[in-house]
Amino acid sequence: MTDTQARVAIVTGAARGIGAATAVRLAADGHAVAVLDLDEGACKDTVEQIRGAGGTALAVGADVADSGAVTAAVARVAEELGPPVVLVNNAGVLRDNLLFKMSDDDWDTVMGVHLRGAFLMSRAAQVHMTAARYGRIVNLSSSSALGNRGQANYSAAKAGLQGFTKTLAIELGPFGVTVNAVAPGFIATDMTAATAARMKVDFEAFRTAAAERIPVRRVGEPADVAHTISFLVSEGAGFVSGQVVYVAGGPLN
Ligand code: NAP
């Protein structure tokens, strides 16, 4: 248990990867956690892991890009767990392609999940945060916000989330709500495994090559990001807001 007072948290995209690790970590910190993902059934493993460790968790199925589904999901969390005052906008998808091959759908899907999703979830959750005069929002940006070949859609969305983060920090700060972004570098998850597969590279070789370029000489694990998010949502981090924390094993330009 850290200094975090028991509060209700929502983590989106929490069926696996960084979201699952974050949900488990926030539960270990003492939060009751809504484990939200597209498919409620897919949240089972994360929820069982939390409950098995004595924590409180609720599986919630919702598409974060769907306004009606988001409204219903946040209302359900408030009713079943209590008012959510911690939100981690983690749900994400990739639709990588070079610009000349990128379809309208590749663009819209990525914008929909990352930007519209974070907007809809934050707008719904801030009602509870401002009422409580306390809140913590963390948005998942990425080192790709700095530019990455084949990711015009994703890098634009992840850079957009940095502006979104700073603006919400300004608007919600007077209500005791902090808003920050974490921008991971290479984290070993299904997402990076899918990138390796798309490039027709063995994942172990892909990881090893990435690690050689990272100053700490390893790739990141979901727990590395979860640890940073745990700090940002802790009670003691109340004077840290509007920041982008790169979790990348070294500095990025
Ligand atoms: P992941 O393993 O692919 O997990 C993403 C999760 O989000 C999946 O469970 C996915 O569900 C869910 N999701 C997708 N669309 C959704 C929607 N519309 N509504 C609700 N849930 C949805 O990804 P990850 O690697 O853990 O990445 C998590 C976040 O960190 C993402 O925002 C990603 O962009 C960011 N990030 C990752 C890395 C990295 O190296 N892995 C680096 C920088 C930033 P389905 O399985 O049903 O699709």
Side-chain angles (χ1 to χ4, degrees):
M1 182 74 78
T2 67
D3 68 334
T4 305
Q5 199 179 311
R7 294 186 164 106
V8 176
I10 300 176
V11 183
T12 72
R16 56 194 170 94
I18 294 168
T22 300
V24 168
R25 175 59 191 262
L26 297 192
D29 289 344
H31 293 88
V33 182
V35 176
L36 187 150
D37 212 289
L38 269 178
D39 171 17
E40 186 167 322
C43 300
K44 191 166 156 275
D45 286 356
T46 310
V47 167
E48 280 179 359
Q49 203 182 330
I50 291 171
R51 289 185 182 154
T56 302
L58 173 73
V60 180
D63 177 351
V64 297
D66 178 332
S67 189
V70 164
T71 303
V74 173
R76 185 179 157 210
V77 172
E79 196 179 309
E80 296 191 29
L81 290 181
V85 293
V86 174
L87 170 66
V88 181
N89 285 311
N90 166 83
V93 287
L94 292 180
R95 293 289 184 275
D96 293 357
N97 242 326
L98 293 174
L99 179 64
F100 77 101
K101 287 192 280 190
M102 188 170 284
S103 69
D104 294 9
D105 190 56
D106 290 336
W107 181 268
D108 292 342
T109 298
V110 168
M111 293 301 156
V113 178
H114 295 272
L115 277 179
R116 181 177 160 84
F119 157 64
L120 293 175
M121 287 297 307
S122 301
R123 190 180 59 180
Q126 60 80 29
V127 174
H128 301 286
M129 299 181 192
T130 53
R133 310 292 289 189
Y134 179 92
R136 300 280 185 263
I137 298 175
V138 177
N139 298 312
L140 267 289
S141 179
S142 167
S143 56
S144 295
L146 302 169
N148 199 25
R149 183 180 160 82
Q151 293 195 319
N153 49 2
Y154 185 78
S155 67
K158 292 307 199 185
L161 279 168
Q162 297 191 8
F164 179 69
T165 296
K166 290 167 198 273
T167 300
L168 293 201
I170 293 166
E171 292 187 13
L172 298 176
F175 299 92
V177 180
T178 67
V179 187
N180 292 286
V182 291
F186 188 119
I187 309 295
T189 68
D190 291 348
M191 187 176 270
T192 34
T195 301
R198 188 178 55 80
M199 295 168 75
K200 299 186 172 45
V201 181
D202 170 68
F203 188 46
E204 276 314 305
F206 193 58
R207 278 180 69 136
T208 303
E212 282 165 7
R213 295 189 298 270
I214 297 171
V216 301
R217 294 292 187 270
R218 68 170 177 90
V219 300
E221 298 295 334
D224 291 310
V225 184
H227 189 77
T228 309
I229 294 172
S230 169
F231 164 70
L232 290 170
V233 308
S234 68
E235 181 123 23
F239 205 54
V240 182
S241 195
Q243 302 305 304
V244 180
V245 182
Y246 282 87
V247 182
L252 295 163
N253 299 312

